[in-house]
Amino acid sequence: ALLTRPLAALPAAVVGAGLGGSASAYFLQQHFGPQVQLDVYEAEGVGGRLATVTVNKQQYESRGASIHALSLHMQDFVKILGLKHRREVAGKSAIFSGEHFVLEETDWYLLNLFRLWWHYGISFLRLQMWVEEVMEKFMRIYKYQAHGYAFSSLEELLRSLGGEAFVNMTQRSVAESLLEVGVTQRFVDDVIAAVLRSSYGQSVLVPAFAGAMSLAGAQGSTWAVEGGNKLVCSGLLKLTKANVISARVTGISLHSSEGRPLYQVHYESTEGQGSAFYDMVVVTTPLHPSRSNFTFDNFDPPIADFPGAFQPSVTSVVHGYLNSSYFGFPDPKLFPFTSILTTDTPDLFFHAVDNICPVNISAAFRRKQPQEAAVWRVLSQQPLDKHQLKTLFRSYYSVQVAEWQTYPRYDAAKALPPIVLHENLFYLSGVEWVASSMEMIAVAAKNVALLAYNRWHQELEKIDQKDLMHKVKTEL
């Protein structure tokens, strides 16, 4: 049993300073108050995947670009930190099959709807109803968390929101689920495939839950942070006054002190190797062998290996002139699109191409005309070779490439990873096997902080409660 101790200091470590790590630090401090003393370990730089690249003295998001309007934790962070929403710069999208555009957006909302209906019948309405039903149930999490409820496993969290149906949605594909509610195969092949390629770089075989989250982002209104989304991470760490240690954690070993667990965090920094002891640790970096060679020592039973693989993905930020004739527009002046998604066609070497705006958008900012040199972000699975760049661009000034193993390879997932690795040792990144978005990570960070707090203070009636919808209604 956990011993209840006087309000002495509680040393806690957070491994990773991306959004998961900075949000965990913030929520831990929010719940434990001043007694928690936070060390945050980060090897590469605060922000993790929320990174920017510089082109011509302007900064651009290289990944993690848009945030869904219903992301309540992200909205809160922006408010608390005094950050601003970036100004929207309108643009049109289209879906390209490698030979022609299968769907083109226009300036007219009604014409867009008519085109969708003309091409796909009521499939898009069925899709919308399906996504809305999932999102409506997902939104219950905010109420549960506001009342201090937490979940010790991803399955329990999903069950509390949408019953067994939500758990099943992590085990079957989005294509299967959509066909079941009457969406046509053609709509799945053209539209759903294009959205999933641009968000996860994967096919319609991704699990239904991850698919629903990605599709919600594609059809809802989205926003971004003025100055770059990574400002949320640095802002939260500053706010919590966490001690950020520039080092790579190599492992954790278990010791015991007065009958309670003590975790020794081992790390490597430019000064060499070191270690420190903590009462509580939250790991927010992926523990898969392909991503980290993290060791756990003295744990009995031992902490098992994490199955599953990660999807390689490449972001190329290109400053140049788009080759509009490749897309069937010999005159670049007439090319109307700022965002091109692609269908799952074997010969297509890229997932999406976007004309991106800088992270700081002044009032005088205007998008470049199609015939001018602009900054484009190309998402692909492999780095682009010279021939592929020449196919997409008439000419270019610069290319900056970032290779990531960003998302879980969803078709390889069987069981969901655990949240609790040991008494006061928690794992956050497993949530990405349910769905990967900034808000999912923020929700998981809040859950881990509440779980840690409720376990530490023996408030077990706040963990894994059944029938929460009813309980929360009666508590109001």
Side-chain angles (χ1 to χ4, degrees):
L2 301 177
L3 301 175
T4 32
R5 298 187 303 150
L7 276 180
L10 164 59
V14 174
V15 181
L19 182 61
S22 39
S24 296
Y26 169 74
F27 286 130
L28 282 169
Q29 199 198 41
Q30 199 186 35
H31 294 293
F32 282 95
Q35 74 166 131
V36 71
Q37 295 173 344
L38 287 161
D39 284 347
V40 177
Y41 290 88
E42 174 54 58
E44 298 189 348
V46 170
R49 284 173 290 183
L50 303 185
T52 54
V53 297
T54 306
V55 183
N56 276 0
K57 301 192 178 128
Q58 293 264 38
Q59 287 196 325
Y60 296 83
E61 301 275 4
S62 57
R63 267 328 275 240
S66 60
I67 304 164
H68 191 276
L70 296 176
S71 303
L72 302 191
H73 288 322
M74 288 300 288
Q75 298 271 25
D76 262 358
F77 295 157
V78 166
K79 216 183 286 149
I80 294 159
L81 297 172
L83 296 167
K84 288 204 266 306
H85 282 209
R86 199 178 308 166
R87 188 164 72 82
E88 282 279 337
V89 182
K92 293 197 279 284
S93 353
I95 298 173
F96 185 62
S97 72
E99 285 167 4
H100 60 274
F101 286 112
V102 294
L103 194 61
E104 302 178 24
E105 207 180 357
T106 70
D107 285 330
W108 292 68
Y109 175 70
L110 287 174
L111 182 55
N112 291 335
L113 280 185
F114 178 73
R115 282 187 169 183
L116 274 170
W117 176 78
W118 182 255
H119 281 300
Y120 304 108
I122 59 167
S123 280
F124 75 97
L125 282 176
R126 290 190 164 140
L127 166 73
Q128 212 156 357
M129 282 159 66
W130 181 78
V131 170
E132 272 169 19
E133 189 191 348
V134 173
M135 287 307 287
E136 200 177 307
K137 289 179 177 160
F138 175 75
M139 297 298 283
R140 294 171 176 174
I141 191 66
Y142 300 110
K143 207 164 236 164
Y144 298 166
Q145 292 187 334
H147 285 259
Y149 289 105
F151 304 95
S152 66
S153 72
L154 293 166
E155 288 86 350
E156 282 294 335
L157 188 150
L158 287 167
R159 253 180 223 117
S160 77
L161 299 173
E164 268 331 296
F166 264 24
V167 179
N168 293 340
M169 284 178 75
T170 65
Q171 303 297 326
R172 53 194 307 228
S173 76
V174 66
E176 197 183 329
S177 298
L178 286 173
L179 292 170
E180 214 166 79
V181 295
V183 172
T184 62
Q185 185 70 51
R186 186 175 162 211
F187 190 74
V188 168
D189 291 343
D190 288 1
V191 181
I192 308 298
V195 171
L196 294 173
R197 278 166 68 84
S198 74
S199 57
Y200 291 133
Q202 292 172 63
S203 75
V204 293
L205 296 179
V206 311
F209 197 88
M213 288 295 170
S214 168
L215 291 159
Q219 61 174 186
S221 53
T222 59
W223 55 280
V225 178
E226 171 71 15
N229 296 329
K230 65 179 183 185
L231 294 181
V232 169
C233 304
S234 49
L236 290 174
L237 290 174
K238 228 180 232 127
L239 192 64
T240 53
K241 298 190 170 64
N243 174 31
V244 180
I245 298 168
S246 177
R248 191 176 68 83
V249 172
T250 53
I252 297 173
S253 47
L254 175 63
H255 303 268
S256 151
S257 152
E258 302 163 12
R260 61 187 177 81
L262 203 55
Y263 303 102
Q264 186 177 12
V265 171
H266 304 268
Y267 59 86
E268 275 170 8
S269 69
T270 45
E271 276 105 63
Q273 300 186 331
S275 74
F277 287 92
Y278 299 95
D279 286 337
M280 188 175 287
V281 180
V282 178
V283 180
T284 73
T285 57
L287 287 176
H288 293 71
S290 67
R291 292 287 300 273
S292 64
N293 41 5
F294 211 91
T295 57
F296 291 101
D297 293 318
N298 303 343
F299 287 88
D300 184 26
I303 291 172
D305 268 350
F306 292 78
F310 278 77
Q311 179 75 6
S313 68
V314 179
T315 305
S316 309
V317 176
V318 182
H319 180 212
Y321 298 89
L322 191 75
N323 176 16
S324 59
S325 57
Y326 170 66
F327 297 103
F329 286 82
D331 182 353
K333 283 195 185 70
L334 301 176
F335 188 78
F337 307 115
T338 53
S339 172
I340 302 151
L341 311 181
T342 57
T343 58
D344 213 339
T345 310
D347 302 343
L348 272 176
F349 55 89
F350 64 97
H351 293 147
V353 183
D354 291 292
N355 175 340
I356 54 176
C357 298
V359 296
N360 295 97
I361 296 183
S362 64
F365 177 85
R366 65 166 185 84
R367 268 195 199 278
K368 294 275 191 272
Q369 294 302 307
Q371 69 275 19
E372 298 177 292
V375 178
W376 295 85
R377 181 174 52 212
V378 186
L379 304 178
S380 57
Q381 198 165 332
Q382 309 292 339
L384 303 176
D385 60 31
K386 277 276 190 317
H387 171 70
Q388 292 168 334
L389 281 165
K390 279 279 182 255
T391 304
L392 281 177
F393 297 94
R394 284 182 294 145
S395 65
Y396 49 88
Y397 298 108
S398 67
V399 182
Q400 295 184 56
V401 181
E403 293 188 46
W404 326 64
Q405 294 219 334
T406 324
Y407 298 114
R409 270 259 326 273
Y410 283 112
D411 54 2
K414 291 292 168 274
L416 296 172
I419 295 175
V420 181
L421 300 180
H422 190 258
E423 236 165 277
N424 301 312
L425 172 61
F426 304 96
Y427 180 44
L428 184 99
S429 298
V431 73
E432 295 201 59
W433 295 86
V434 174
S436 184
S437 69
M438 288 185 244
E439 188 64 10
M440 265 322 265
I441 289 167
V443 161
K446 175 84 169 172
N447 179 61
V448 159
L450 282 167
L451 182 61
Y453 181 85
N454 293 340
R455 286 169 70 100
W456 188 260
H457 293 290
Q458 288 283 292
E459 295 186 9
L460 303 184
E461 73 288 351
K462 289 282 194 185
I463 302 173
D464 296 337
Q465 279 298 327
K466 303 284 173 264
D467 194 23
L468 264 184
M469 272 314 282
H470 179 72
K471 277 200 176 64
V472 167
K473 276 200 184 91
T474 53
E475 276 181 33
L476 286 175

